[in-house]
Protein backbone atom coordinates (compact mmCIF):
# COMPACT_ATOMS: atom_id res chain seq x y z
CA UNK A 1 0.00 0.00 0.00
CA UNK A 2 1.39 3.39 -0.97
CA UNK A 3 0.92 6.60 0.93
CA UNK A 4 2.04 9.87 -0.67
CA UNK A 5 4.40 7.98 -3.00
CA UNK A 6 6.22 6.21 -0.16
CA UNK A 7 5.70 2.68 1.11
CA UNK A 8 4.83 2.06 4.73
CA UNK A 9 7.70 0.56 6.75
CA UNK A 10 7.64 -3.22 6.50
CA UNK A 11 9.15 -5.31 9.29
CA UNK A 12 9.66 -4.86 13.02
CA UNK A 13 12.62 -4.23 15.33
CA UNK A 14 13.43 -3.40 18.94
CA UNK A 15 16.83 -2.29 20.24
CA UNK A 16 18.25 -2.84 23.74
CA UNK A 17 21.73 -2.56 25.25
CA UNK A 18 23.37 -4.99 27.69
CA UNK A 19 26.85 -4.02 28.86
CA UNK A 20 28.87 -3.23 25.69
CA UNK A 21 26.46 -5.15 23.42
CA UNK A 22 23.68 -3.64 21.32
CA UNK A 23 20.90 -6.22 20.80
CA UNK A 24 18.48 -5.87 17.90
CA UNK A 25 15.45 -8.17 17.80
CA UNK A 26 13.68 -8.08 14.45
CA UNK A 27 11.13 -9.73 12.18
CA UNK A 28 11.26 -9.20 8.42
CA UNK A 29 11.15 -8.98 5.51
CA UNK A 30 12.40 -5.40 5.54
CA UNK A 31 12.03 -2.50 3.13
CA UNK A 32 14.00 0.74 2.84
CA UNK A 33 11.43 2.69 4.86
CA UNK A 34 11.98 0.43 7.88
CA UNK A 35 15.78 0.61 7.52
CA UNK A 36 15.53 4.43 7.68
CA UNK A 37 13.56 4.22 10.96
CA UNK A 38 16.07 1.63 12.20
CA UNK A 39 19.00 4.00 11.58
CA UNK A 40 17.26 6.78 13.52
CA UNK A 41 16.68 4.44 16.49
CA UNK A 42 20.27 3.15 16.31
CA UNK A 43 21.80 6.63 16.51
CA UNK A 44 20.23 7.21 19.93
CA UNK A 45 21.43 3.86 21.35
CA UNK A 46 24.94 4.12 19.83
CA UNK A 47 25.44 7.56 21.38
CA UNK A 48 25.32 5.83 24.76
CA UNK A 49 28.61 4.03 24.02
CA UNK A 50 30.41 7.41 24.05
CA UNK A 51 32.93 6.35 21.40
CA UNK A 52 33.93 3.11 23.19
CA UNK A 53 34.23 -0.13 21.23
CA UNK A 54 31.09 -2.27 21.28
CA UNK A 55 29.55 -5.38 19.75
CA UNK A 56 26.11 -6.27 18.48
CA UNK A 57 23.74 -9.21 18.38
CA UNK A 58 21.25 -9.08 15.53
CA UNK A 59 18.28 -11.45 15.93
CA UNK A 60 16.40 -12.07 12.69
CA UNK A 61 13.15 -14.00 13.05
CA UNK A 62 11.19 -15.62 10.24
CA UNK A 63 12.08 -14.75 6.65
CA UNK A 64 14.03 -11.57 7.32
CA UNK A 65 15.22 -10.80 3.81
CA UNK A 66 16.07 -7.32 2.59
CA UNK A 67 14.94 -5.64 -0.62
CA UNK A 68 17.94 -4.51 -2.74
CA UNK A 69 17.58 -0.86 -1.69
CA UNK A 70 17.13 -1.86 1.97
CA UNK A 71 20.26 -4.02 1.73
CA UNK A 72 22.30 -1.10 0.38
CA UNK A 73 20.96 1.16 3.14
CA UNK A 74 21.81 -1.53 5.70
CA UNK A 75 25.39 -1.60 4.42
CA UNK A 76 25.58 2.13 5.04
CA UNK A 77 24.26 1.69 8.59
CA UNK A 78 26.94 -0.95 9.26
CA UNK A 79 29.62 1.47 7.98
CA UNK A 80 28.18 4.13 10.27
CA UNK A 81 28.15 1.75 13.27
CA UNK A 82 31.77 0.79 12.61
CA UNK A 83 32.71 4.48 12.57
CA UNK A 84 31.06 4.71 16.03
CA UNK A 85 32.99 1.77 17.55
CA UNK A 86 31.29 -1.44 16.33
CA UNK A 87 33.90 -4.24 16.29
CA UNK A 88 31.86 -7.48 16.00
CA UNK A 89 28.45 -8.69 14.83
CA UNK A 90 26.76 -11.87 16.05
CA UNK A 91 23.73 -12.80 13.96
CA UNK A 92 20.97 -15.11 15.17
CA UNK A 93 18.59 -16.45 12.52
CA UNK A 94 15.48 -18.14 13.92
CA UNK A 95 12.49 -19.86 12.29
CA UNK A 96 13.48 -19.06 8.73
CA UNK A 97 12.86 -20.99 5.53
CA UNK A 98 15.53 -18.86 3.82
CA UNK A 99 18.34 -18.96 6.41
CA UNK A 100 21.09 -19.42 3.82
CA UNK A 101 19.89 -16.43 1.77
CA UNK A 102 19.84 -14.21 4.87
CA UNK A 103 23.33 -15.40 5.84
CA UNK A 104 24.53 -14.64 2.31
CA UNK A 105 23.03 -11.13 2.33
CA UNK A 106 24.59 -10.21 5.67
CA UNK A 107 27.92 -11.99 5.20
CA UNK A 108 28.43 -10.14 1.91
CA UNK A 109 28.03 -6.81 3.73
CA UNK A 110 30.24 -7.76 6.67
CA UNK A 111 32.97 -9.21 4.45
CA UNK A 112 33.00 -6.17 2.17
CA UNK A 113 33.54 -3.96 5.26
CA UNK A 114 35.96 -6.34 7.05
CA UNK A 115 33.68 -6.63 10.08
CA UNK A 116 34.25 -9.82 12.12
CA UNK A 117 30.98 -11.75 12.45
CA UNK A 118 29.44 -15.14 13.29
CA UNK A 119 26.06 -16.78 12.81
CA UNK A 120 24.14 -18.56 15.58
CA UNK A 121 20.95 -20.59 15.85
CA UNK A 122 19.62 -19.07 19.09
CA UNK A 123 20.02 -15.94 21.22
CA UNK A 124 21.39 -17.73 24.33
CA UNK A 125 24.16 -19.23 22.17
CA UNK A 126 25.13 -15.78 20.84
CA UNK A 127 25.01 -14.23 24.31
CA UNK A 128 27.25 -16.98 25.67
CA UNK A 129 29.74 -16.41 22.85
CA UNK A 130 29.86 -12.71 23.80
CA UNK A 131 30.09 -13.48 27.54
CA UNK A 132 26.73 -11.89 28.41
Amino acid sequence: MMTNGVFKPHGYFSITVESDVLIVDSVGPFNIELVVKYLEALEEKIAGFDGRQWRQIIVLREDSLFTPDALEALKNTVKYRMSKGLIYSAVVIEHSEVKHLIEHQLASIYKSLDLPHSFYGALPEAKQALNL
Side-chain angles (χ1 to χ4, degrees), residues 50-119:
D50 292 325
R52 295 186 315 272
Q53 291 188 331
W54 53 279
R55 302 164 296 164
Q56 68 182 14
I57 297 174
I58 307 296
V59 180
L60 299 166
R61 301 179 193 280
E62 300 176 17
D63 295 336
S64 296
L65 290 167
F66 298 85
T67 61
D69 56 348
L71 196 62
E72 186 60 31
L74 181 65
K75 182 176 182 176
N76 290 331
T77 73
V78 173
K79 275 189 216 174
Y80 170 77
R81 284 179 259 178
M82 291 174 73
S83 76
K84 297 294 183 183
L86 175 65
I87 58 169
Y88 178 80
S89 184
V91 180
V92 177
I93 302 172
E94 293 185 343
H95 312 297
S96 176
E97 298 293 320
V98 292
K99 180 178 180 179
H100 296 297
L101 287 173
I102 297 167
E103 283 184 10
H104 175 74
Q105 283 188 323
L106 294 178
S108 67
I109 288 174
Y110 296 149
K111 287 176 183 171
S112 73
L113 298 173
D114 291 324
L115 179 64
H117 62 281
S118 298
F119 292 95

Side-chain angles (χ1 to χ4, degrees), residues 28-54:
F30 310 107
N31 64 5
I32 184 69
E33 289 78 11
L34 186 85
V35 173
V36 168
K37 289 191 173 299
Y38 175 58
L39 179 57
E40 292 168 1
L42 276 175
E43 285 182 21
E44 181 182 320
K45 296 290 186 183
I46 291 170
F49 291 121
D50 292 325
R52 295 186 315 272
Q53 291 188 331
W54 53 279

Side-chain angles (χ1 to χ4, degrees), residues 13-25 41-42 45 49 54-57 123 127:
F13 67 88
S14 68
I15 304 171
T16 57
V17 174
E18 284 185 40
S19 183
D20 71 335
V21 179
L22 181 110
I23 301 172
V24 178
D25 194 331
L42 276 175
K45 296 290 186 183
F49 291 121
W54 53 279
R55 302 164 296 164
Q56 68 182 14
I57 297 174
L123 182 57
K127 283 186 166 187

